[in-house]
């Protein structure tokens, strides 16, 4: 359905045309002087030059034509040539009612594109830490937003499972347990099913190996060789690789589950391995790739480049494939499996150069044609209060599990501050509210910007926070419950036709829902949803304070309030569902 601004613009456009001017001048916007009017049209100002007359003359002619229109309660030409607009209560309330009758509150479907979203990006063998938090949170929201608009979306976690960290673990394991059968070159039998390490052992192996490789060149070289041999298919190493995945993946799943982040595909860098050899051969045979200092590279710089874009390295001189190689092979695989219209990557913005190289290489080497869109949604760093990347108190990398339990604890303490609640229920609710604090705290910032993780602020029940949004929904739910307890039904109610000021304000805010969703969708910008629901919650809360809903004596008027509450609740609930968290029934 059409959004309110488009409906108003059309009316104004018609009037401009009738008065003898270009109808495109009729564009209506939300007023930047809410003290004077609700909407405005500045078309007469723009048209003055073109028609060589004073803007006020045009504005007056247009306003005169619309004086009797049932849409406007006020339409006035004011000097030097603005048109100030207020709309009639009845017109607005009918519009909001139509919106409420639509399952998606008036949001139109996109036309059904197919997209693959590559997000999460955890590396196996390392515990999920805060560095991967943003990719999971933002990617999940983009996926839900696109689905809401009617796209088919496949989310792929794209695990880091093919790089040097694998060789490091193999070498470290060899030092610690040299007698393991995986290192016996003459062994020809079946390898054991049980892994030679537990999850917590594995989580210790990697940091040890990584620290060592920074000091011990010989060790690092061995790890590189082991990585290459694993990639080439050495049996014992592939068996260790498989154990690493088997031990890591269930734990990653559990962690993502706790954050309501769900992937359709659990593929990794390794999954497209079979496509690498033919891809490289093709690139060489078609003259796209060439040798440079022993490595195989594709030149991707373009004349219009403002900065140096180095060639994309496809194979190192020792024959090992790189991060870009597996990303390119994965594009081949995704095209084959899903033939998507677009692929969206959600990763740290410091990987921008990598993705520029990969996207250009994919197009230049004709892995894909121009019909496929690549987007890179690069996000900034989550910093601590000191402005440096977030760390534990002793300076280590913080596990996601720890961060989440800290947040839940803070929420729990706040909830229990001045009231009593059943312990088990409070713990359950604090998880739901905690997740909103974490996700909203992240998503309310423009993705590309760094932000400061501030536990106190994020978990506050007031201000621009997830808990405040949930608190507002809980308040609405409580009123609805009370209303039903008086024996009245919340079904089939009509909105009021004569509105109190705060009631009208709430409807005006609700009318922005579909254009807000469209903007967030087109720009891949979840922060627009957060900004909107924060405004909506504020407007709702003023409405709540200015109108005594439960004590309203006029039953029809009260029913109208309740009808409006239901729509506000729906707009908030759809929004938080897209943002990836839920509201409890009480908190
Ligand atoms: N595993 C990578 C990392 O930890 C992120 C993966 C992003 N996706 C991709 N297709 N390269 O940085």
């Amino acid at each position: 359905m059409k959004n309110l601004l488009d409906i108003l613009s059309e009316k104004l456009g018609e009037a401009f045309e009738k008065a003898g001017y270009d109808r495109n001048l009729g564009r209506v916007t939300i007023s930047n002087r809410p003290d004077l009017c609700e909407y405005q049209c500045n078309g007469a100002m723009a048209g003055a030059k073109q028609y060589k007359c004073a803007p006020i003359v045009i504005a007056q002619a247009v306003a005169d034509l619309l004086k009797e229109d049932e849409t406007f309660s006020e339409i006035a030409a004011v000097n030097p040539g603005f048109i100030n607009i207020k709309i009639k209560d009845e017109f607005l309330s009918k519009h909001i009612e139509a919106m409420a009758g639509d399952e998606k509150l008036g949001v139109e479907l996109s036309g059904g594109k197919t997209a693959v979203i590559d997000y999460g990006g955890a590396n196996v063998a390392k515990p999920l830490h805060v560095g991967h938090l943003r990719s999971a949170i933002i990617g999940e929201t983009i996926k839900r937003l696109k689905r809401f608009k009617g796209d088919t979306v496949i989310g792929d976690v794209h695990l880091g499972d093919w790089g040097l960290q694998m060789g490091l673990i193999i070498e470290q394991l060899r030092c610690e347990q040299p007698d393991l059968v995986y290192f016996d070159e003459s062994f020809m039998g079946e390898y054991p099913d049980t892994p030679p390490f537990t999850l917590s052992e594995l989580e210790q192996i990697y940091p040890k190996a990584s620290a060592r490789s920074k000091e011990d060149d010989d060790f690092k070289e061995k790890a590189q060789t082991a990585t290459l041999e694993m990639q080439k298919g050495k049996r014992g190493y592939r068996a260790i690789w498989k154990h690493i995945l088997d031990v890591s993946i269930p734990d990653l799943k559990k962690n993502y589950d706790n954050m309501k982040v769900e992937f359709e595909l659990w593929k990794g860098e390794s999954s497209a391995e079979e496509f690498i050899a033919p891809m490289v051969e093709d690139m060489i045979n078609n003259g796209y790739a060439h040798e440079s200092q022993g490595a195989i590279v594709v030149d991707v710089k373009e004349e219009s480049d403002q900065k140096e874009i180095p060639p994309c390295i496809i194979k190192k001189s020792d024959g090992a494939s790189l991060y870009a190689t597996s990303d390119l092979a994965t594009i081949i695989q995704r095209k084959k499996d899903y033939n998507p219209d677009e692929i969206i990557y959600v990763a740290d913005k410091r990987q921008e150069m990598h993705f520029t190289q990969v996207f250009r290489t994919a197009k230049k080497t004709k892995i894909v044609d121009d019909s496929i869109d690549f987007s890179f949604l690069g996000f900034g760093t989550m910093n601590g209060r000191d402005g440096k990347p977030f760390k534990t108190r002793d300076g280590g990398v913080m596990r996601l599990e720890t961060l989440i339990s800290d947040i839940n604890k803070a929420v729990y303490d706040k909830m229990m501050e001045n009231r009593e609640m059943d312990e088990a229920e409070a713990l359950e609710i604090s998880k739901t509210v905690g997740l909103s604090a974490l996700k909203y705290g992240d998503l309310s910032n423009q993705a590309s910007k760094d932000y400061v993780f501030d536990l106190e602020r994020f978990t506050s029940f007031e201000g621009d926070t997830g808990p405040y949004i949930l608190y507002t929904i809980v308040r609405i739910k409580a009123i609805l419950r009370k209303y039903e307890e008086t024996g009245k039904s919340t079904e089939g109610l009509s909105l009021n036709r004569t509105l109190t000021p705060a009631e009208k304000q709430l409807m005006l805010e609700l009318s922005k829902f579909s254009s807000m969703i469209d903007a967030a969708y087109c720009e891949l910008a979840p922060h627009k949803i957060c900004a909107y629901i924060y405004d909506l919650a504020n407007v709702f809360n003023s409405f709540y304070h200015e109108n005594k809903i439960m004590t309203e004596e006029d039953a029809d008027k009260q029913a109208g309030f309740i009808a409006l509450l239901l729509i506000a609740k729906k707009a908030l609930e759809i929004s938080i569902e897209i943002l990836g968290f839920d509201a409890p029934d009480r908190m």
Side-chain angles (χ1 to χ4, degrees), residues 91-117:
F91 170 78
L92 177 60
S93 111
K94 279 188 181 156
H95 178 78
I96 299 296
E97 236 161 41
M99 201 179 121
D102 180 74
E103 193 204 341
K104 291 184 184 278
L105 288 184
V107 173
E108 304 218 340
L109 296 182
S110 65
K113 286 191 184 168
T114 300
V116 172
I117 306 192

Side-chain angles (χ1 to χ4, degrees), residues 118 121-123 132 158-160 269 323 327 345-347 351 354-355:
D118 179 314
N123 298 316
H132 286 109
H158 199 76
L159 298 172
E269 291 165 355
Y323 190 38
D327 265 328
Y345 298 81
V346 186
Q351 297 193 20
H354 163 76
F355 284 105

Side-chain angles (χ1 to χ4, degrees), residues 260-306:
K260 281 175 64 82
V261 171
E262 219 181 280
F263 300 97
E264 284 61 52
L265 298 178
W266 277 80
K267 293 195 181 286
E269 291 165 355
S270 65
S271 310
E273 208 270 323
E274 57 174 302
F275 297 101
I276 291 181
M279 173 183 87
V280 177
E281 210 182 293
D282 243 45
M283 287 180 179
I284 296 172
N285 291 345
N286 291 318
Y288 299 128
H290 63 89
E291 208 196 293
S292 166
Q293 296 169 358
I296 306 288
V297 305
V298 175
D299 291 324
V300 290
K301 61 172 191 282
E302 288 168 9
E303 243 165 55
S304 56
D305 288 342
Q306 302 288 348

